[in-house]
Amino acid sequence: MKPNGRRQFLGKALLGTLGLPLLSEPAQALVSKLNPADPAAAAVGYVEDATKVDVSKFPTYKRGQSCANCTLLRPQYIGPYRPCKLFPKNVISVKGWCNAWVKNPQL
Ligand code: SF4
């Protein structure tokens, strides 16, 4: 193992021992995926694939909008499913969308 690799391994092992979440691990390992059928998710039209938005129900949706460029997505995580401030107990698909979408001004 290279010195940097060993240092990273030891750092992760220490954080794991302390019970702290590892920011570099997929967020989906921390909590469950948000079910689009969940009443709170359905209320805002959450879908795992933004191309599947029912625009007759959610006409505010514009092509190109997704959780990946929403300001409510928590940026400190990586992976296809990540935490969102709107659904703190679940992770959401970065390809998804909901009616609470707000453009991330940094993207
Ligand atoms: S608030 Fe934003 S990041 Fe969260 S589910 Fe809705 S569109 Fe996705």
Side-chain angles (χ1 to χ4, degrees), residues 46 67 70 72-73 84 86-87 92 97-98 100-101:
Y46 171 74
C67 296
C70 175
L72 296 175
L73 184 71
C84 154
L86 192 62
F87 300 104
I92 53 86
W97 182 87
C98 87
W101 182 89

Side-chain angles (χ1 to χ4, degrees), residues 1 3-4 7 10 13-16 29 32 39-40 53 55-56 69 71 76 80 85 87 94-95 100 103:
M1 185 179 296
N4 277 349
R7 197 174 306 139
L10 291 173
L14 177 62
L15 287 174
S32 62
V53 173
V55 290
S56 67
N69 54 29
T71 197
Q76 64 269 50
K85 293 173 187 166
F87 300 104
V94 295
K95 293 181 179 175
K103 181 173 177 33

Side-chain angles (χ1 to χ4, degrees), residues 29-101:
L30 304 175
V31 287
S32 62
K33 294 177 185 175
L34 179 64
N35 183 344
D38 178 280
V44 290
Y46 171 74
V47 289
E48 287 203 336
D49 180 350
T51 66
K52 305 281 193 296
V53 173
D54 183 346
V55 290
S56 67
K57 288 183 183 174
F58 300 100
T60 59
Y61 169 76
K62 301 284 184 276
R63 214 166 101 180
Q65 295 177 349
S66 73
C67 296
N69 54 29
C70 175
T71 197
L72 296 175
L73 184 71
R74 293 176 63 192
Q76 64 269 50
Y77 293 90
I78 59 172
Y81 287 86
R82 303 181 199 171
C84 154
K85 293 173 187 166
L86 192 62
F87 300 104
K89 294 181 179 175
N90 299 99
V91 288
I92 53 86
S93 167
V94 295
K95 293 181 179 175
W97 182 87
C98 87
N99 202 31
W101 182 89

